Amino acid sequence: GQSLEQPSEVTAVEGAIVQINCTYQTSGFYGLSWYQQHDGGAPTFLSYNALDGLEETGRFSSFLSRSDSYGYLLLQELQMKDSASYFCAVRDPTGAGSYQLTFGKGTKLSVIP
Amino acid sequence: DGGITQSPKYLFRKEGQNVTLSCEQNLNHDAMYWYRQDPGQGLRLIYYSQIVNDFQKGDIAEGYSVSREKKESFPLTVTSAQKNPTAFYLCASSPRDRGRLEKQFFGPGTRLTVL
């Protein structure tokens, strides 16, 4: 099976930088995904890291270290609209559930003025 | 515009009744998924389908059933056997190939309340 750990809540100031960490335990591993979900809304895909290193997309960056089973999502120049829940997700390519994404419980980010 | 639609947005049912949630996509994706979301629990997979006429149980399939007769449609039935059905239900789709499968597109969700 798989398990993912991420902080339940994070608070940051508008204009600042925040990092949301995710550690995972899986028997197999393809890569780490990140999703954003505003209250009452649908999750939307942010990023996917299959290889070690940093991927940048505008104000958002995502990092992966396969040797440490660890990744993070970095949000820069925070805006009020970034207040949302952020989920990391992994896929274990082994076994019957190889097409299945397993999600963490989510980190609720609150951006304050 | 391509996307995923779910209906209805809000659904109320009496205890002991079966109810079917609709999910339709026009993204031409092979794979479709159903998730359940409870407060503080993240997304948990109920069922998924990689291709028409085939589907697999996820982590919490008990009390649910699905069908995949068309590529575009993946309805979920919440049966009376589901002990605690009140939740937010999300449908998603994706391509099947590696790297693209991880990018799932979600519908707006159906909030089911059992009275």
Side-chain angles (χ1 to χ4, degrees):
Chain A
Q2 305 107 64
S3 68
L4 298 97
E5 293 289 332
Q6 51 181 132
S8 58
E9 294 182 9
V10 172
T11 300
V13 177
E14 190 176 14
I17 299 173
V18 71
Q19 178 174 311
I20 299 174
N21 299 320
C22 175
T23 57
Y24 57 87
Q25 287 186 319
T26 63
S27 51
F29 180 76
Y30 266 150
L32 186 69
S33 305
W34 288 93
Y35 285 78
Q36 178 193 59
Q37 184 183 30
H38 288 97
D39 281 348
T44 57
F45 173 83
L46 291 176
S47 68
Y48 171 63
N49 293 65
L51 302 175
D52 286 356
L54 192 68
E55 297 275 347
E56 298 181 56
T57 308
R59 295 188 297 113
F60 292 6
S61 302
S62 56
F63 172 83
L64 175 65
S65 169
R66 296 172 71 107
S67 60
D68 295 323
S69 297
Y70 163 75
Y72 65 73
L73 181 68
L74 191 73
L75 294 80
Q76 303 181 74
E77 301 173 15
L78 280 173
Q79 301 176 9
M80 299 300 291
K81 67 178 182 180
D82 297 329
S83 293
S85 292
Y86 294 85
F87 296 89
C88 57
V90 297
R91 184 163 69 94
D92 184 343
T94 61
S98 62
Y99 288 95
Q100 177 175 333
L101 267 186
T102 298
F103 287 80
K105 293 187 176 183
T107 298
K108 187 174 178 64
L109 171 64
S110 298
V111 180
I112 58 176
Chain B
D1 289 337
I4 301 179
T5 57
Q6 290 185 243
S7 61
K9 188 171 177 65
Y10 299 95
L11 186 59
F12 299 88
R13 79 153 212 218
K14 292 182 180 179
E15 211 170 318
Q17 291 180 336
N18 293 355
V19 63
T20 297
L21 280 58
S22 167
C23 177
E24 303 278 333
Q25 56 102 357
N26 60 4
L27 298 167
N28 199 34
H29 287 163
D30 284 313
M32 296 188 74
Y33 314 82
W34 273 106
Y35 294 92
R36 170 182 171 138
Q37 188 172 33
D38 297 283
Q41 290 293 319
L43 282 74
R44 293 184 291 169
L45 185 68
I46 305 172
Y47 269 97
Y48 65 101
S49 168
Q50 293 305 303
I51 201 166
V52 175
N53 292 322
D54 183 65
F55 48 83
Q56 303 293 328
K57 292 182 179 180
D59 296 325
I60 56 166
E62 186 175 350
Y64 300 97
S65 66
V66 294
S67 63
R68 187 84 187 278
E69 298 177 358
K70 298 187 300 181
K71 187 175 185 178
E72 302 79 16
S73 179
F74 192 40
L76 173 75
T77 297
V78 184
T79 75
S80 56
Q82 169 50 232
K83 299 303 181 187
N84 185 21
T86 294
F88 189 43
Y89 290 88
L90 288 156
C91 179
S93 72
S94 77
R96 291 179 64 197
D97 43 310
R98 177 181 176 177
R100 297 177 70 204
L101 184 152
E102 281 79 359
K103 183 178 180 179
Q104 297 188 5
F105 294 79
F106 284 81
T110 292
R111 194 165 297 276
L112 173 65
T113 302
V114 175
L115 305 172

